[in-house]
Amino acid sequence: MQSAAYTHVGLVREVNEDSIIALPEAGIWAVADGMGGHEGGALASQTAVAAIKAIPSRNRLRDAVNATEDALMEAHEELRQRAVSDFDGRTIGTTIVALIVRQMVGVCLWAGDSRLYEFSDGRLSQLTTDHDLFNERRAQGGEPNSRNEVHRNAITRALGAPQPLFLDAIAFQIREGARYLLCSDGLYKDVSNDEISVGLSETTLDRSGRALMNACLANGARDNTSVIVTEYGGV
């Protein structure tokens, strides 16, 4: 699996609270989108990424996934402690989406609304489900009161949040020729699915990453934006 990774502060925010990590040689990639103000959000996302970077190499997929989950749980507790010691009890947190690949099998761990997409045979599919109030109420069989932007962005899971952390996980077969996109919400807030598909259709991973970022900037880039594009055997 090869990859191209980009992050940008956008055109409105002053500080980039996103953090990314791309380790093709270790078979792991992640995007974290921090929350809690400039200093707190940046610290939270950096803490999550640093925890993943510090994981010793694991050859077996199960071992790598377990080690990643443990590292993120530890980062969650660290952020909760830092909130008390350094931020007067104010919550600092981050979403996370992480992809681990071994021998054409991928596992995604996530919390929050950073996403993993698959682009295969011209079709874009969202593999993750956002952890927000809208989806939570829908999963419980209820009807959300509103579908407006503010309501949809009410995150229900994050590293550093006061409540216990529950990471969702999916396992899937890596498709040869398919591209996989990890991104923060800054991308899909300003870039349509059609535009994402066009970007992922570029000839190389680097061109795809640049096209996605340029589309976001052209559309106003209201938030920090991070993208990682991966592909088996890609260039």
Side-chain angles (χ1 to χ4, degrees):
M1 295 286 287
Q2 299 301 313
S3 62
Y6 293 92
T7 186
H8 197 287
V9 68
L11 301 178
V12 176
R13 303 291 180 91
E14 296 180 354
V15 174
N16 191 351
E17 297 176 54
D18 286 2
S19 296
I20 61 177
I21 186 167
L23 299 173
E25 67 282 0
I28 188 165
W29 301 261
V31 169
D33 180 357
M35 305 171 289
H38 292 173
E39 183 179 356
L43 172 65
S45 67
Q46 291 164 10
T47 298
V49 163
I52 292 174
K53 187 175 182 180
I55 298 170
S57 179
R58 298 285 192 275
N59 290 328
R60 294 178 58 192
L61 179 60
R62 178 181 297 178
D63 294 340
V65 171
N66 288 341
T68 303
E69 184 174 13
D70 289 345
L72 293 176
M73 290 294 183
E74 291 176 6
H76 171 67
E77 293 302 328
E78 179 182 344
L79 291 174
R80 293 176 68 176
Q81 294 172 13
R82 291 291 297 273
V84 173
S85 63
D86 299 343
F87 292 88
D88 298 321
R90 175 169 54 87
T91 298
I92 58 171
T94 182
T95 69
I96 189 73
V97 59
L99 173 64
I100 304 128
V101 176
R102 296 289 187 278
Q103 297 178 344
M104 300 297 284
V105 177
V107 172
C108 179
L109 299 173
W110 81 98
D113 62 355
S114 292
R115 294 179 177 177
L116 173 67
Y117 292 91
E118 179 184 72
F119 183 69
S120 179
D121 296 326
R123 180 178 179 182
L124 183 70
S125 302
Q126 182 182 335
L127 300 185
T128 55
T129 301
D130 298 344
H131 295 137
D132 58 24
L133 194 56
F134 176 82
N135 283 320
E136 183 177 280
R137 289 182 175 176
R138 185 170 61 179
Q140 294 172 351
E143 285 296 327
N145 296 325
S146 167
R147 296 182 65 92
N148 63 40
E149 189 77 8
V150 173
H151 188 86
R152 293 182 67 87
N153 287 346
I155 301 302
T156 56
R157 297 193 206 179
L159 275 69
Q163 55 268 53
L165 176 64
F166 295 98
L167 294 165
D168 263 348
I170 55 171
F172 56 96
Q173 190 74 29
I174 297 292
R175 297 187 183 185
E176 194 165 353
R179 286 185 174 171
Y180 296 88
L181 167 67
L182 295 86
C183 68
S184 59
D185 66 344
L187 179 71
Y188 62 80
K189 281 180 180 177
D190 286 329
V191 182
S192 69
N193 283 354
D194 286 344
E195 290 173 304
I196 292 175
S197 295
V198 170
L200 291 174
S201 299
E202 289 285 348
T203 53
T204 68
L205 297 177
D206 185 68
R207 288 174 64 91
S208 281
R210 290 179 182 274
L212 292 170
M213 194 63 72
N214 288 338
C216 190
L217 292 169
N219 291 346
R222 294 171 292 166
D223 200 354
N224 308 146
T225 300
S226 297
V227 301
I228 300 176
V229 186
T230 70
E231 180 182 1
Y232 176 75
V235 293

